[in-house]
Amino acid sequence: MNLIAMSATVVLLLASGIPAGAQGQNLGNVLDKLSGILGGNQQIHGTVVLPTDTTVVVRGDDKHTYALDASTIDPRVRGILQPGDGVTVAVKAGPNRSLVANDVQLDRVKTGAAPGRQVFQQVQGTVEKVTGSQVLFKTRDGLELPVDVSTIVGLPAFSPNQPATLIYDQGPQHKIEAVWIAPGEAQPAAGAPPAVGTASAAGSASPTTEGSERVHGLISDVSLTGLTLQAEDGRKLTVDTGKVNSLLVQALRPGDLVTVVGRMADQPGTFVADSLQPDSLR
């Protein structure tokens, strides 16, 4: 039998490890969303976010994220799951309001093709605070990102200042949407750029010269002539990238963390960049 086509039974743990205060809200949202499943069999389609030895995290097409207990899956099947893989899961109601998957199939098995993988972005840092369904995540470079985790089911419990990796997607108006928060450093998706927030000695932005300024922040928008940057010091800057390598600018996406070196222009809120360095290349 083709290993990829093998079936597996998994259990969805709805309430395991959800942060205090968010558990009731999350359960209510999810049970309302999945009320049809509780009444019978149904299929859920989604994308693998993070496969580990015993857990597979899946982002459903319903924009909810589910942590699946994969301990009963054949290790050979578990080993072929990769971040970004499309999967279809046949589920039914299990004991204690759990959801039991009768079958897990990779999309490429059903279509006979290898579709492009969806790649979620990552940033490493610490979970500073959890208040209900709101998490304050602080990147290694000091940027604070408030994120809503009400659509995540089975999120581990976090202690203040605990190292973690935020896996996220871009929503409307480039809003950061939390897909998952993994304790420690998550494994990046195959073919994905290195996780932002990691640094090495090579490739750092050009050193500042007299009168220039180094600014670090999160890109909220990218255009042909520049980008909009939410600086970690709270400023919102329009960055003129005319002096920066155009190929580098074209590779940038909203949600990327970058360091720019340059000067403030006469026009308020405008920064002229002499050099630019994405965190993923630092």
Side-chain angles (χ1 to χ4, degrees), residues 12 35 53 59 83 99 116-117 148 154 189 231 254 274:
L12 174 62
S35 59
D53 288 342
R59 179 71 161 178
L99 294 177
R117 288 191 175 91
D148 183 356
D274 295 321

Side-chain angles (χ1 to χ4, degrees), residues 60-80:
D61 291 344
D62 60 0
K63 299 301 182 182
H64 282 67
T65 300
Y66 306 100
L68 307 178
D69 181 354
S71 59
T72 61
I73 297 179
D74 188 307
R76 295 169 296 178
V77 176
R78 207 163 55 221
I80 65 173

Side-chain angles (χ1 to χ4, degrees), residues 193-236:
V196 295
T198 59
S200 66
S204 59
S206 301
T208 56
T209 58
E210 184 177 356
S212 64
E213 180 183 359
R214 181 188 295 266
V215 179
H216 182 267
L218 183 79
I219 295 175
S220 57
D221 190 30
V222 180
S223 68
L224 296 176
T225 58
L227 54 88
T228 304
L229 188 70
Q230 183 65 52
E232 61 185 21
D233 60 11
R235 291 179 293 170
K236 185 174 183 179

Side-chain angles (χ1 to χ4, degrees), residues 39 55 57 61 68 70 104 113 123 147 156 173 176 179 183 205 232 250 276:
T55 303
V57 180
D61 291 344
L68 307 178
V104 178
V123 60
V147 293
Q173 287 78 50
I176 290 180
V179 173
E232 61 185 21
Q250 291 171 16
L276 180 151

Side-chain angles (χ1 to χ4, degrees), residues 46-51 81-87 115-120 189-190:
T47 304
V48 174
V49 177
L50 186 68
L81 294 176
Q82 298 182 37
D85 277 341
V87 291
R117 288 191 175 91
Q118 179 177 357
V119 178
F120 298 109

